[in-house]
Short mmCIF file of all heavy atoms in Angstrom, two decimals:
data_model
loop_
_atom_site.label_atom_id
_atom_site.label_comp_id
_atom_site.label_asym_id
_atom_site.label_seq_id
_atom_site.Cartn_x
_atom_site.Cartn_y
_atom_site.Cartn_z
N LYS R 47 4.56 6.43 -3.44
CA LYS R 47 5.44 6.30 -2.27
C LYS R 47 5.56 7.64 -1.53
O LYS R 47 5.64 7.66 -0.29
CB LYS R 47 6.82 5.79 -2.71
CG LYS R 47 6.82 4.30 -3.05
CD LYS R 47 8.21 3.78 -3.31
CE LYS R 47 8.18 2.25 -3.50
NZ LYS R 47 9.53 1.70 -3.77
N GLY R 48 5.55 8.75 -2.29
CA GLY R 48 5.60 10.08 -1.66
C GLY R 48 4.36 10.32 -0.81
O GLY R 48 4.44 10.87 0.30
N TRP R 49 3.20 9.91 -1.35
CA TRP R 49 1.94 10.07 -0.61
C TRP R 49 1.93 9.24 0.68
O TRP R 49 1.54 9.72 1.75
CB TRP R 49 0.77 9.68 -1.52
CG TRP R 49 -0.54 9.58 -0.79
CD1 TRP R 49 -1.29 10.61 -0.29
CD2 TRP R 49 -1.23 8.37 -0.45
NE1 TRP R 49 -2.41 10.12 0.34
CE2 TRP R 49 -2.41 8.75 0.26
CE3 TRP R 49 -0.97 7.01 -0.66
CZ2 TRP R 49 -3.32 7.80 0.74
CZ3 TRP R 49 -1.88 6.08 -0.19
CH2 TRP R 49 -3.04 6.47 0.51
N ILE R 50 2.43 7.99 0.59
CA ILE R 50 2.48 7.12 1.77
C ILE R 50 3.38 7.73 2.84
O ILE R 50 3.04 7.76 4.03
CB ILE R 50 2.97 5.70 1.40
CG1 ILE R 50 1.96 5.01 0.47
CG2 ILE R 50 3.18 4.84 2.64
CD1 ILE R 50 2.46 3.70 -0.13
N THR R 51 4.51 8.24 2.39
CA THR R 51 5.47 8.85 3.32
C THR R 51 4.84 10.06 4.01
O THR R 51 4.98 10.26 5.23
CB THR R 51 6.76 9.28 2.58
OG1 THR R 51 7.31 8.13 1.93
CG2 THR R 51 7.78 9.85 3.55
N SER R 52 4.12 10.85 3.22
CA SER R 52 3.48 12.06 3.79
C SER R 52 2.40 11.71 4.81
O SER R 52 2.12 12.49 5.72
CB SER R 52 2.88 12.92 2.67
OG SER R 52 1.74 12.28 2.13
N LYS R 53 1.81 10.53 4.66
CA LYS R 53 0.76 10.09 5.59
C LYS R 53 1.36 9.53 6.89
O LYS R 53 0.64 9.28 7.85
CB LYS R 53 -0.10 8.99 4.94
CG LYS R 53 -0.90 9.41 3.73
CD LYS R 53 -2.13 10.23 4.07
CE LYS R 53 -3.19 9.41 4.77
NZ LYS R 53 -4.40 10.22 5.07
N GLU R 54 2.70 9.28 6.83
CA GLU R 54 3.43 8.72 7.98
C GLU R 54 2.82 7.39 8.44
O GLU R 54 2.57 7.16 9.62
CB GLU R 54 3.47 9.72 9.14
CG GLU R 54 4.26 10.99 8.81
CD GLU R 54 4.37 11.94 10.00
OE1 GLU R 54 3.62 11.77 10.99
OE2 GLU R 54 5.21 12.85 9.92
N ILE R 55 2.55 6.54 7.44
CA ILE R 55 2.06 5.19 7.74
C ILE R 55 3.00 4.16 7.09
O ILE R 55 3.78 4.50 6.19
CB ILE R 55 0.62 4.97 7.21
CG1 ILE R 55 0.55 5.29 5.71
CG2 ILE R 55 -0.39 5.78 8.00
CD1 ILE R 55 -0.79 4.96 5.07
N GLY R 56 2.92 2.95 7.56
CA GLY R 56 3.76 1.89 7.00
C GLY R 56 3.37 1.57 5.57
O GLY R 56 2.17 1.59 5.23
N PHE R 57 4.35 1.28 4.75
CA PHE R 57 4.08 0.96 3.34
C PHE R 57 3.15 -0.24 3.20
O PHE R 57 2.31 -0.29 2.30
CB PHE R 57 5.41 0.70 2.61
CG PHE R 57 6.07 1.95 2.10
CD1 PHE R 57 6.74 2.80 2.97
CD2 PHE R 57 6.01 2.29 0.76
CE1 PHE R 57 7.35 3.97 2.52
CE2 PHE R 57 6.61 3.46 0.29
CZ PHE R 57 7.28 4.30 1.17
N GLY R 58 3.31 -1.22 4.09
CA GLY R 58 2.50 -2.44 4.01
C GLY R 58 1.01 -2.17 4.12
O GLY R 58 0.19 -2.90 3.56
N LYS R 59 0.64 -1.11 4.85
CA LYS R 59 -0.78 -0.79 5.05
C LYS R 59 -1.46 -0.38 3.74
O LYS R 59 -2.68 -0.44 3.61
CB LYS R 59 -0.93 0.33 6.08
CG LYS R 59 -0.72 -0.13 7.51
CD LYS R 59 -1.11 0.96 8.49
CE LYS R 59 -0.98 0.43 9.94
NZ LYS R 59 -1.35 1.47 10.92
N VAL R 60 -0.67 0.07 2.79
CA VAL R 60 -1.21 0.48 1.48
C VAL R 60 -0.87 -0.55 0.40
O VAL R 60 -1.75 -0.97 -0.38
CB VAL R 60 -0.66 1.87 1.07
CG1 VAL R 60 -1.11 2.22 -0.35
CG2 VAL R 60 -1.11 2.93 2.05
N MET R 61 0.40 -0.95 0.36
CA MET R 61 0.86 -1.79 -0.76
C MET R 61 0.20 -3.19 -0.76
O MET R 61 -0.12 -3.71 -1.83
CB MET R 61 2.38 -1.93 -0.72
CG MET R 61 3.14 -0.61 -0.82
SD MET R 61 2.72 0.33 -2.30
CE MET R 61 3.73 -0.50 -3.51
N GLN R 62 -0.02 -3.77 0.42
CA GLN R 62 -0.63 -5.11 0.45
C GLN R 62 -2.10 -5.07 0.03
O GLN R 62 -2.52 -5.87 -0.81
CB GLN R 62 -0.47 -5.73 1.85
CG GLN R 62 0.98 -5.99 2.28
CD GLN R 62 1.65 -7.10 1.49
OE1 GLN R 62 1.73 -7.03 0.26
NE2 GLN R 62 2.12 -8.12 2.19
N PRO R 63 -2.90 -4.13 0.57
CA PRO R 63 -4.29 -4.03 0.08
C PRO R 63 -4.35 -3.66 -1.40
O PRO R 63 -5.25 -4.09 -2.12
CB PRO R 63 -4.90 -2.92 0.95
CG PRO R 63 -4.07 -2.91 2.19
CD PRO R 63 -2.68 -3.25 1.74
N LEU R 64 -3.38 -2.85 -1.86
CA LEU R 64 -3.35 -2.48 -3.28
C LEU R 64 -3.10 -3.72 -4.14
O LEU R 64 -3.77 -3.92 -5.17
CB LEU R 64 -2.26 -1.43 -3.52
CG LEU R 64 -2.02 -0.99 -4.97
CD1 LEU R 64 -3.32 -0.46 -5.60
CD2 LEU R 64 -0.91 0.05 -5.05
N ARG R 65 -2.16 -4.54 -3.71
CA ARG R 65 -1.88 -5.79 -4.47
C ARG R 65 -3.12 -6.68 -4.48
O ARG R 65 -3.48 -7.27 -5.50
CB ARG R 65 -0.68 -6.52 -3.86
CG ARG R 65 -0.30 -7.78 -4.63
CD ARG R 65 0.95 -8.44 -4.09
NE ARG R 65 2.15 -7.66 -4.38
CZ ARG R 65 2.80 -7.67 -5.54
NH1 ARG R 65 2.34 -8.41 -6.55
NH2 ARG R 65 3.88 -6.94 -5.71
N LEU R 66 -3.76 -6.79 -3.32
CA LEU R 66 -4.98 -7.60 -3.23
C LEU R 66 -6.05 -7.08 -4.18
O LEU R 66 -6.75 -7.86 -4.85
CB LEU R 66 -5.49 -7.58 -1.78
CG LEU R 66 -6.56 -8.59 -1.39
CD1 LEU R 66 -6.06 -10.02 -1.55
CD2 LEU R 66 -7.01 -8.37 0.05
N SER R 67 -6.15 -5.76 -4.31
CA SER R 67 -7.15 -5.14 -5.20
C SER R 67 -6.87 -5.44 -6.67
O SER R 67 -7.78 -5.72 -7.45
CB SER R 67 -7.15 -3.62 -5.01
OG SER R 67 -7.40 -3.27 -3.68
N LEU R 68 -5.59 -5.38 -7.03
CA LEU R 68 -5.22 -5.53 -8.45
C LEU R 68 -5.13 -6.99 -8.89
O LEU R 68 -5.44 -7.32 -10.04
CB LEU R 68 -3.88 -4.83 -8.71
CG LEU R 68 -3.80 -3.33 -8.40
CD1 LEU R 68 -2.44 -2.78 -8.80
CD2 LEU R 68 -4.91 -2.56 -9.11
N VAL R 69 -4.67 -7.86 -7.98
CA VAL R 69 -4.38 -9.26 -8.34
C VAL R 69 -5.42 -10.23 -7.80
O VAL R 69 -5.66 -11.29 -8.38
CB VAL R 69 -2.95 -9.65 -7.85
CG1 VAL R 69 -2.63 -11.10 -8.18
CG2 VAL R 69 -1.90 -8.72 -8.44
N GLY R 70 -6.01 -9.90 -6.64
CA GLY R 70 -6.96 -10.82 -6.01
C GLY R 70 -6.30 -11.68 -4.96
O GLY R 70 -6.94 -12.42 -4.23
N LYS R 71 -4.96 -11.61 -4.89
CA LYS R 71 -4.19 -12.35 -3.89
C LYS R 71 -2.85 -11.65 -3.71
O LYS R 71 -2.50 -10.73 -4.48
CB LYS R 71 -3.99 -13.80 -4.33
CG LYS R 71 -3.36 -13.98 -5.71
CD LYS R 71 -3.37 -15.44 -6.14
CE LYS R 71 -2.85 -15.57 -7.57
NZ LYS R 71 -2.90 -16.96 -8.05
N LEU R 72 -2.10 -12.06 -2.71
CA LEU R 72 -0.81 -11.42 -2.42
C LEU R 72 0.30 -12.12 -3.21
O LEU R 72 1.17 -12.78 -2.65
CB LEU R 72 -0.53 -11.45 -0.91
CG LEU R 72 -1.57 -10.73 -0.05
CD1 LEU R 72 -1.20 -10.82 1.42
CD2 LEU R 72 -1.72 -9.26 -0.48
#
């Protein structure tokens, strides 16, 4: 979360693709 904040991007831009990577679906 610290890294996302430092990038000044929305959490969804990282967390949703991350979930897709780990689970295969949202």
Side-chain angles (χ1 to χ4, degrees):
K47 285 187 174 180
W49 170 72
I50 295 171
T51 303
S52 71
K53 296 284 291 181
E54 296 184 345
I55 55 174
F57 275 76
K59 284 190 176 180
V60 174
M61 301 303 280
Q62 296 291 58
L64 176 57
R65 183 175 290 279
L66 193 62
S67 302
L68 302 184
V69 179
K71 54 188 175 183
L72 300 180

